[in-house]
């Protein structure tokens, strides 16, 4: 928590604490987009032998934005067809 104090009180903290306490993996997606950042990450967290947590992040912003645009276009198309 010293290295990433911004994680306190967020879903990251609950996932990471569960990984450490229960020695289980956690996999989740988090949208950081807040006006300052435009970033969506897939997170894989694994318990480490020393009681810590190993975390791997993948930037999936382009994929998530493309999926959202496709879904919006599909919805518009279906609305036109049903009119």
């Amino acid at each position: 928590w010293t290295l990433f104090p911004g994680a306190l009180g967020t879903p990251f903290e609950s996932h990471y604490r569960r990984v450490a306490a229960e020695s289980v993996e956690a996999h989740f997606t988090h949208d950081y987009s807040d006006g300052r950042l435009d970033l969506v990450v897939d997170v894989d967290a694994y318990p480490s032998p020393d009681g810590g947590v190993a975390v791997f992040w993948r930037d999936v912003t382009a994929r998530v934005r493309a999926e959202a645009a496709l879904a919006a276009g599909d919805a518009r198309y279906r609305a036109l067809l049903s009119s």
Side-chain angles (χ1 to χ4, degrees), residues 12-73:
F12 286 98
E13 180 181 13
S14 60
H15 284 294
Y16 296 163
R17 288 195 186 277
R18 188 174 66 80
V19 169
E22 300 174 18
S23 290
V24 296
E25 298 177 4
H27 308 280
F28 59 97
T29 301
H30 186 75
D31 189 339
Y32 270 104
S33 303
D34 64 359
R36 293 174 298 157
L37 288 175
D38 183 27
L39 178 65
V40 181
V41 293
D42 274 347
V43 181
D44 298 310
Y46 303 92
S48 62
D50 65 356
V53 178
V55 179
F56 301 89
W57 299 26
R58 240 175 345 275
D59 182 348
V60 294
T61 308
R63 184 196 79 206
V64 169
R65 299 294 183 252
E67 289 170 351
L70 183 61

Side-chain angles (χ1 to χ4, degrees), residues 66-82:
E67 289 170 351
L70 183 61
D74 187 50
R76 283 191 300 273
Y77 180 72
R78 288 180 188 278
L80 286 172
L81 287 177
S82 65

